[in-house]
Amino acid sequence: MIAAIENAVLDLLRAASDDNRLGYRFATLETYPDEWDAYLKIKRQLRCPGAWCVFLGIVSMEFSDDGVTYGLARFATVLAAENLRNEEATRHGGGGQPGSYQLGLDAIGLLAGNDLDLDIGHIVPRRLALVGRTEETRKQHLSIIAFEWESRVPIAELIADGELADFETFHANWDVPPFGGIGPDLPDDEPADATDTVTLEGATP
């Protein structure tokens, strides 16, 4: 569900971009990278406007009367604007390019109250804030803004048929690395070099 929500947000922004509802087109739409500055260095010159979606966590949970556990999930939609004029223009826009303020407000307008056609609660806006500039964002003339929002989402049940199976047996296989690094990389398709099975006393093996 979490991955589906991230992808649905990007699809929504893409659709709004493609049908010219925004007056500009997104040049980059991706899930959020693990290391932002490292990502920018790889990209070298980011194609803007850009948007990324990232799951921030589940801030609370509840068990409902219908037997389903729900989580209040928090996400961020991160948006980047570029403008070669000056730092102010990256925020305010100019020369036909939207600034980060406009990108953030447009994201709120598209996402607030939306359920993304998924089995989730309507999106509730929580926070809009500029992301602090780094050496790499200054170098690429970027202004980045993050829109944080929440939605109530069902959490898939991990218990089969309503009951946990008894944990009575544990089995493990080991592959022993070749001496001196000579041999196939592990894991390989060969039988395990060592195995072990532990069964609780009185349990049926």
Side-chain angles (χ1 to χ4, degrees):
M1 175 64 77
I2 291 172
I5 292 172
E6 289 186 351
N7 290 332
V9 168
L10 297 177
D11 288 343
L12 177 66
L13 297 178
R14 184 176 294 108
S17 173
D18 290 346
D19 65 19
N20 204 33
R21 263 180 286 166
L22 303 172
Y24 55 85
R25 294 178 65 88
F26 281 104
T28 301
L29 287 166
E30 299 177 357
T31 57
Y32 196 75
D34 183 45
E35 293 289 342
W36 182 250
D37 267 10
Y39 169 83
L40 290 180
K41 288 177 182 177
I42 292 172
K43 292 289 184 178
R44 295 193 177 179
Q45 194 58 50
L46 196 64
R47 297 175 63 239
C48 290
W52 299 259
C53 189
V54 62
F55 171 65
L56 299 180
I58 293 179
V59 297
S60 64
M61 297 187 193
E62 61 177 295
F63 188 70
S64 69
D65 293 337
D66 58 6
V68 178
T69 300
Y70 289 90
L72 186 60
R74 182 166 291 177
F75 291 81
T77 303
V78 180
L79 305 115
E82 176 196 31
N83 201 301
L84 300 179
R85 291 184 173 185
N86 51 51
E87 188 272 334
E88 181 181 281
T90 65
R91 293 180 287 111
H92 293 183
Q97 297 297 317
S100 58
Y101 294 162
Q102 181 180 348
L103 297 181
L105 294 175
D106 287 346
I108 294 174
L110 289 170
L111 291 169
N114 202 315
D115 64 5
L116 304 173
D117 293 326
L118 297 173
D119 182 24
I120 64 173
H122 292 100
I123 288 173
V124 178
R126 287 302 179 204
R127 185 170 179 262
L128 180 68
L130 284 170
V131 176
R133 303 188 85 200
T134 67
E135 180 181 351
E136 198 62 35
T137 57
R138 289 189 183 93
K139 188 184 300 182
Q140 296 197 30
H141 309 283
L142 301 175
S143 176
I144 300 172
I145 198 165
F147 167 42
E148 295 182 19
W149 49 271
E150 294 173 347
S151 176
R152 186 172 182 262
V153 302
I155 299 175
E157 295 185 40
L158 302 178
I159 303 175
D161 299 325
E163 295 183 1
L164 285 172
D166 292 333
F167 183 44
E168 298 179 339
T169 303
F170 174 77
H171 178 82
N173 293 333
W174 289 273
D175 283 329
V176 180
F179 179 74
I182 301 173
D185 293 333
L186 298 180
D188 56 29
D189 295 328
E190 299 298 321
D193 296 315
T195 67
D196 193 14
T197 300
V198 178
T199 303
L200 291 178
E201 185 177 351
T204 302

